[in-house]
Amino acid sequence: MALGDILIEVSNVAKHFGEGETRVDALRAVDLTVRAGEVIALLGPSGSGKTTLLNIIGCILAPSGGRVVLDGEPVFDGKWLRRDLRRLRLDKIGFIFQSHNLLPFLTAQENVAVVLDLAGRPTEEGRARARELLDYLEVGHRAMVKPALLSGGEAQRVAIARALANRPRIILADEPTAALDGARAGLVMDLMRKLAVEQEACIVTVTHDEKIFDRFDRLIYLRDGRLADA
Amino acid sequence: MNLALKDIRHGLFRFVLTCFGLGLLMTVVLAMIGIYNGLVSDALAVVKAPAADVWVVEAGTKGPFAEASSIPADTRDAVARMPGVAEAGAVNYQNVEAAHTGQTLRLYVIGYEPGRPGGPQAIAEGRGIGAGHFELVADRKTGLLPGETIRLGRDRFTVVGLVEGAMNSGGDPAVYVTLADAMALQTELDPAAQRVQTARGAVSVKSASVATIIARMSPGADVDLLTATVRQWKHLAAMTQVEQEELLLASVVDKARRQIGLFLGILLSVSAVVIALIIYTMTMEKLKQIATLKLIGAPDRAIVALIVQQALILGAAGWGIGLMLILTVKDYFPRRVVLEPFNVMVLAGIIAAVCLLSSALGVRAAMKVDPATALGS
Ligand SMILES: Nc1ncnc2c1ncn2[C@@H]1O[C@H](COP(=O)(O)OP(=O)(O)O)[C@@H](O)[C@H]1O
Ligand SMILES: [Mg+2]
C-alpha cells in the first residue's frame, strides 16, 4: 500500500534515569519515523528501552533531549512545546496497555464511550461508536458487562476499542497480545491493522510474541537504548 | 456520563455502609446539639411559663431559681399597688419526691394563686385548678393522668388537668397546686424541729413566706420605675424578666451548657477527621484509575469532579441519614431534644466545608499522580 503522512517523527531522542552512579541510559540518540497506515513492532530484550520509547511517543514521559513531532506538530524540542498534553493524547493518541486497565466501575461499552465523553462529544455518538467498535472486535455481546467479568481476551479487545474510539492517528500498544492465545493474538493484530488502514493511523507495538511477527510491516530492534539491525 | 455516580453504583454496598456509618456519627452530633438546645429551653421554661414582667424576690438573693428566696406572702398586696402593675401573684417553688404506682416521682411543685400570675399558660388536657382544695395540674411527663390521685406530704391531691413543657432547670416535671396547698406542704416538709415549734404554737415566720412575687405591667408602664420602687423596700429586690432569664442561664445551666458545648466541639472535630479520612482513602484507592483517566486524556476538571462529587454525595447522605435518625429517636430521650432548622443547616454547612477541604487533599494527590503509573508494567 502507498504510505501516507508522517505521523511520528522522533529525532535524536535520549532518555536517562537518575544521575551519577545510579544513572541509567534507557535511550541513546534514537531516530524513528512512522507513517500513516504502518504497523510496526518494537522488539528487544527486557530493559532495552521499548517501554520508555513508547511512553515518550505517547507524551507520558519527557525525553532528556531530542525532538518529537506528532502528526506534523512539534511537541517536544528540548522541552514540551504544548501545555495540554492530555488534550493531545485525547485527540491524537490511543493507548493499549499491557494490563488492559479498563475502569472497573464502567461497563465495556462505557469504557469505550468515556473517551468520547471526555472529549465533549454527545452521549449518543459515544454509545454508537462504542457499539460499532465492540461489534467489530467481536465483543459486542459483552457490551453491558463490567471488566471483572470479562475474560482476558475480551478485556483486551475492549481496551483496543477504547484506544480506537476517538479515531486517533497514533496507536501505541505495549504487549497487547501477551494475554491472548496464538489464534486470538493474530486475529487482534489483523483487526488493529484493518482499523489502522481505514482510519489512516499508524500502530507501534511492543511485543515479544514471535507468533505475530509476520503481521508487521516493519520490525524495529532496540538494544541497550539504541536502534539495532535485525 | 457521570463517573462519580457510576463508581458509587459499582461499590454500592460499601458506599451505603460508609454513608450509614457517617449518618450514625451525624446522629450523635445532632443529638448533642438537640440536647444542648433542650437544656437551654427547658431551663428557661420555668422562667418563661408565668409570662412575667418583673420578679420581686428577697433582697440580696438571686431567687427564686439561682438561690433560695423567701419573702412575706403579703408582699403581693404591696406590689399590686405599685405604679404600673396590672396584676401580681405570689408563687412558691419546691422539689418533692412522691410515691406513685410503686415508683418514686421527683416533682417540682409550683404553688400559685389561681386567677393571678404564676399559673400554667395553657391546659393541654382536663381543666385548670378550681376553688377547691388539693387539686393539681401536672406536666404530662410526670405520667400522671387526669382523675388519678397522688399523695404529697400528708394530703392526697387529685389530678384535674395536664400541661406540657413545664419543668425546672434540672428537668424534673412540674405540678401546679394552689399557693395555700403549697405552703401547707412546705410546712409539713419542714425539718422536724420546726414542726415541733409550730405545734407548740410558736408562729413560724417561714410559714407565711413565698419565694417570689410575679408582676405583670399595664401596657406602656415603666418597668424601671417599678424595679426602683421595689428596691426602696430594704428586704426586697426586683429583676426584670430578661434579667431573670440571663441569670438562670448564667448561674444554673452555665456549667452543663459549657460541658455539652465542649463535648459538641470535640464531637464535631472527630467527625471532621473521620470524614476527611474516608474521603482521602476513597481517593487513594482510585489513584490507579485516575492515572488511567489521565492517560486516556481526561482533563483535570473531570478528575476533580469525580472526587468532589463523591465527597459531597457522601456528606449529604451522612447528613440526611443522621437527620432522619435523630428525628425518629429524639422523642425517646428522657429530656427534651430540640432541633432548630438553623442548627441543622449550620451542620450541613460544616459538613460541606469539611467534605470540600478533604476532597482538596484527595485532589492534590490525584493531580500529582503520574499517568505512567497506569501502565504498570
Ligand atoms: N522510572 C524509571 N526509573 C529508573 N529507571 C527506569 C525507569 N523506567 C525504566 N528504567 C530503566 O530504563 C531501562 C529501560 O526500561 P524499559 O524502557 O522499561 O525497557 P523495556 O520496556 O524494553 O523492558 C531499564 O534499565 C529500566 O530499568
Ligand atoms: Mg516494557
Side-chain angles (χ1 to χ4, degrees), chain B residues 347-360:
Chain B
L347 182 65
I350 293 174
I351 294 176
V354 170
C355 286
L356 287 177
L357 268 176
S358 23
S359 38

Side-chain angles (χ1 to χ4, degrees), chain B residues 77-366:
Chain B
D77 293 328
V79 172
R81 283 195 301 272
M82 287 181 186
V85 175
E87 324 172 69
V91 182
N92 209 345
Y93 299 98
Q94 56 195 313
N95 284 302
V96 169
E97 290 208 341
H100 179 64
T101 59
Q103 282 183 318
T104 305
L105 279 181
R106 241 189 105 70
L107 301 174
Y108 189 57
V109 178
I110 303 174
Y112 75 105
E113 302 173 279
R116 294 181 179 277
Q121 290 298 303
I123 302 290
E125 205 180 319
R127 60 174 175 82
I129 290 173
H133 251 318
F134 306 132
E135 289 187 346
L136 170 156
V137 167
D139 182 78
R140 207 186 276 286
K141 284 216 167 167
T142 56
L144 296 170
L145 297 170
E148 281 186 327
T149 62
I150 181 170
R151 195 177 179 82
L152 300 180
R154 260 181 265 141
D155 302 305
R156 189 158 274 283
F157 285 72
T158 306
V159 181
V160 297
L162 295 181
V163 293
E164 279 164 358
M167 72 203 85
N168 69 0
S169 63
D172 301 326
V175 298
Y176 287 94
V177 299
T178 63
L179 183 65
D181 287 345
M183 285 166 71
L185 181 62
Q186 188 174 34
T187 316
E188 286 160 21
L189 298 176
D190 269 346
Q194 201 176 336
R195 276 212 301 277
V196 172
Q197 294 270 323
T198 314
R200 276 190 195 145
V203 178
S204 165
V205 180
K206 282 246 168 191
S207 64
S209 69
V210 296
T212 183
I213 307 293
I214 289 165
R216 285 196 199 128
M217 311 294 292
S218 334
D222 188 353
V223 174
D224 293 335
L225 179 62
L226 175 60
T227 53
T229 311
V230 171
R231 281 177 197 134
Q232 286 170 1
W233 295 53
K234 290 288 174 262
H235 65 294
L236 296 182
M239 267 179 275
T240 64
Q241 174 70 16
V242 175
E243 284 168 349
Q244 184 66 267
E245 285 178 22
E246 280 170 0
L247 183 67
L248 196 70
L249 285 183
S251 64
V252 181
V253 291
D254 183 56
K255 277 220 182 75
R257 204 164 64 140
R258 285 217 310 263
Q259 177 104 340
I260 295 180
L262 192 63
F263 183 64
L264 187 58
I266 293 172
L267 205 54
L268 275 174
S269 315
V270 171
S271 307
V273 171
V274 169
I275 293 175
L277 212 63
I278 292 174
I279 289 171
Y280 189 68
T281 315
M282 250 162 55
T283 311
M284 285 302 139
E285 284 172 352
K286 273 201 281 291
L287 278 190
K288 175 137 190 207
Q289 293 160 31
I290 287 166
T292 303
L293 279 168
K294 283 187 175 181
L295 199 62
I296 61 177
D300 288 344
R301 169 167 42 80
I303 292 161
V304 171
L306 170 68
I307 297 169
V308 172
Q309 284 171 8
Q310 286 195 347
L312 288 179
I313 291 171
L314 180 82
W319 176 81
I321 292 171
L323 186 59
M324 248 170 45
L325 282 178
I326 192 64
L327 289 180
T328 314
V329 302
K330 81 182 173 72
D331 292 331
Y332 296 100
F333 279 74
R335 290 200 60 177
R336 221 140 60 92
V337 174
V338 180
L339 275 178
E340 306 285 349
F342 172 75
N343 305 135
V344 178
M345 291 331 285
V346 167
L347 182 65
I350 293 174
I351 294 176
V354 170
C355 286
L356 287 177
L357 268 176
S358 23
S359 38
L361 280 179
V363 165
R364 226 172 67 111

